[in-house]
C-alpha cells in the first residue's frame, strides 16, 4: 500500500488519474447534447420549458438541472380520410394529403402546449373539420368540376387554423373523391346524355352545311342557265341551223331520194323499187 501511495503521489501519474476521473464523470453526467439536422432542442430546467430553443450542433447543458428534449421540425406528411356531405346532401368520402412542419423558432411553445404527439392531437382533427366545413359549401358536382378551388380553400383554412398552433402548412392536395353508387351512376348518365347531345348538334351542323352547299350549287346552275338564255339571239339560232345542215351534208351518201305522185302523200323511192322488180 505504501508503494502504491508513493506511485500516486508522483506528479505525472497523479495528473493522469485526475484526468481519467474527470472523463468518467463527464461521461456519466454528459453535460452536452447534439442536435441533428432538421431538429431543435427544447431546454427544460427541472422540467420547466425555457424560452431558448437549441439549433443544430453541439450544445452544453447544466447536469442534473437541465434536460434537453429533441423535436423534429422537418417537413412531415399526414394522409387523412374523412366522410362528409355536400351542400346537396350527397355523401362524400375524401382522402387528402398534407405536408407540414413545426415552426423551428416556436418549437418550445409547441412542446409546452401540445407535446410531440401534435399529429394526433392537432393535425388530423383540423383536417377533418376543414374538409367537412368546405365540402358543405359545394354541391357534389362542384366538388368534381371545381376541384382546384376546393383544394385551395381547404389549404387556406388549414393554414390559418394550424398557424395558431405554431405549425406551418407546406402543401395540400386532394387525393381522391368518392360518392355513392347512385350518384356515380347519375353522373355517368348525365355525361352520356351530354355527349349524345353534342353529337346530335354536330350532325345538325353538318346537315345544315351540306344543305347550304346544295342550295349554292343549284343557285349557281340556275344563274348559268339564265346567263346562257340571255346570250341566245336570232343570229345564234341561224348559226346553229347552218352547223346542223353542214353536219347532215357530211353524213350524205350522194343518193337523192326519188319522189313520185302529186297527191297529198308522195311516194319516195318508188322508182328504185320498180327497177329492182
Amino acid at each position: 500500500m505504501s508503494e502504491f501511495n508513493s506511485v500516486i503521489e508522483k506528479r505525472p501519474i497523479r495528473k493522469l488519474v485526475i484526468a481519467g476521473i474527470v472523463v468518467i464523470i463527464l461521461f456519466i453526467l454528459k453535460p452536452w447534447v447534439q442536435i441533428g439536422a432538421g431538429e431543435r432542442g427544447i431546454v427544460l430546467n427541472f422540467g420547466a420549458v425555457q424560452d431558448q430553443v437549441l439549433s443544430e450542433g453541439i450544445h452544453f447543458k447544466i447536469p442534473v438541472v437541465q434536460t434537453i428534449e429533441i423535436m423534429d421540425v422537418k417537413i412531415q406528411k399526414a394522409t387523412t380520410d374523412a366522410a362528409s356531405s355536400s351542400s346537396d346532401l350527397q355523401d362524400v368520402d375524401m382522402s387528402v394529403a398534407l405536408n407540414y412542419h413545426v415552426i423551428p423558432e416556436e418549437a418550445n411553445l409547441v412542446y409546452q402546449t401540445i407535446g410531440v404527439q401534435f399529429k394526433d392531437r392537432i393535425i388530423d382533427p383540423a383536417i377533418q373539420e376543414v374538409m367537412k366545413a368546405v365540402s358543405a359549401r359545394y354541391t357534389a358536382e362542384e366538388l368534381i368540376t371545381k376541384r382546384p378551388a376546393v383544394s385551395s380553400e381547404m389549404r387556406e383554412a388549414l393554414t390559418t387554423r394550424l398557424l395558431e398552433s405554431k405549425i406551418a402548412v407546406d402543401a395540400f392536395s386532394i387525393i381522391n373523391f368518392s360518392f355513392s353508387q347512385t350518384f356515380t351512376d347519375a353522373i355517368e348518365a348525365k355525361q352520356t346524355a351530354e355527349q349524345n347531345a353534342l353529337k346530335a348538334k354536330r350532325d345538325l351542323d353538318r346537315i345544315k352545311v351540306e344543305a347550304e352547299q346544295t342550295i349554292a350549287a343549284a343557285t349557281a346552275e340556275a344563274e348559268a342557265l339564265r346567263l346562257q338564255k340571255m346570250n341566245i339571239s336570232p343570229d345564234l339560232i341561224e348559226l346553229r341551223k347552218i352547223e346542223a345542215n353542214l353536219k347532215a351534208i357530211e353524213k350524205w351518201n350522194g343518193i337523192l331520194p326519188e319522189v313520185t305522185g302529186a297527191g297529198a302523200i308522195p311516194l319516195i323511192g318508188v322508182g328504185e323499187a320498180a327497177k329492182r322488180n
Side-chain angles (χ1 to χ4, degrees):
M1 181 62 69
S2 60
E3 293 179 357
F4 178 76
N5 291 333
S6 62
V7 171
I8 292 299
E9 289 176 356
K10 292 181 179 180
R11 187 168 297 177
I13 302 298
R14 186 176 182 181
K15 290 182 178 179
L16 289 176
V17 172
I18 294 174
I21 294 173
V22 171
V23 169
I24 293 173
I25 293 174
L26 288 176
F27 273 99
I28 293 175
L29 297 178
K30 195 179 179 181
W32 71 85
V33 63
Q34 181 177 353
I35 309 299
E39 296 177 340
R40 291 296 184 269
I42 313 301
V43 181
L44 305 177
N45 288 351
F46 294 110
V49 177
Q50 303 301 303
D51 295 335
Q52 181 184 10
V53 177
L54 302 181
S55 59
E56 302 169 3
I58 295 179
H59 302 270
F60 290 96
K61 64 177 181 177
I62 302 174
V64 181
V65 176
Q66 291 183 331
T67 56
I68 308 299
E69 294 292 336
I70 306 298
M71 177 170 286
D72 191 351
V73 295
K74 295 189 292 294
I75 295 177
Q76 303 180 52
K77 179 180 179 181
T79 302
T80 305
D81 298 328
S84 59
S85 298
S86 61
S87 61
D88 54 351
L89 302 180
Q90 294 291 336
D91 293 332
V92 184
D93 293 326
M94 289 190 293
S95 179
V96 302
L98 174 70
N99 290 349
Y100 65 93
H101 70 274
V102 175
I103 299 176
E105 297 77 12
E106 308 289 348
N108 57 334
L109 296 179
V110 175
Y111 181 85
Q112 185 177 33
T113 58
I114 304 173
V116 295
Q117 303 297 328
F118 45 82
K119 179 182 181 299
D120 296 333
R121 297 178 180 178
I122 298 297
I123 303 297
D124 290 341
I127 293 176
Q128 293 275 349
E129 182 176 347
V130 167
M131 290 169 66
K132 293 179 180 180
V134 174
S135 63
R137 291 195 287 270
Y138 292 86
T139 64
E141 185 175 354
E142 288 175 340
L143 290 175
I144 299 174
T145 58
K146 298 181 179 180
R147 183 167 179 166
V150 174
S151 178
S152 178
E153 187 172 344
M154 288 183 177
R155 174 171 180 168
E156 292 177 1
L158 278 172
T159 300
T160 302
R161 182 181 177 89
L162 295 180
L163 196 59
E164 298 175 356
S165 301
K166 314 304 179 184
I167 297 174
V169 173
D170 297 291
F172 177 85
S173 60
I174 299 175
I175 300 175
N176 187 36
F177 280 124
S178 60
F179 304 92
S180 64
Q181 188 61 41
T182 303
F183 179 76
T184 303
D185 294 340
I187 290 293
E188 292 179 354
K190 181 179 179 181
Q191 291 177 345
T192 301
E194 290 177 351
Q195 292 174 357
N196 292 336
L198 181 60
K199 181 178 181 300
K201 184 178 182 300
R202 290 176 178 173
D203 291 341
L204 180 60
D205 293 340
R206 177 179 55 80
I207 292 172
K208 288 181 178 179
V209 171
E210 292 176 352
E212 290 174 356
Q213 291 176 346
T214 302
I215 293 173
T219 303
E221 184 177 358
E223 182 66 16
L225 292 174
R226 185 183 68 81
L227 294 175
Q228 185 177 2
K229 185 177 180 181
M230 289 177 62
N231 292 330
I232 295 175
S233 62
D235 294 337
L236 180 61
I237 294 173
E238 189 64 27
L239 178 61
R240 293 290 184 265
K241 288 181 180 181
I242 294 171
E243 291 177 352
N245 291 333
L246 291 175
K247 289 182 180 180
I249 292 172
E250 291 176 356
K251 296 180 180 180
W252 181 48
N253 58 4
I255 301 174
L256 293 174
E258 295 182 5
V259 179
T260 304
I265 303 176
L267 299 176
I268 301 174
V270 174
E272 187 65 27
K275 291 179 182 178
R276 288 198 299 271
N277 291 333

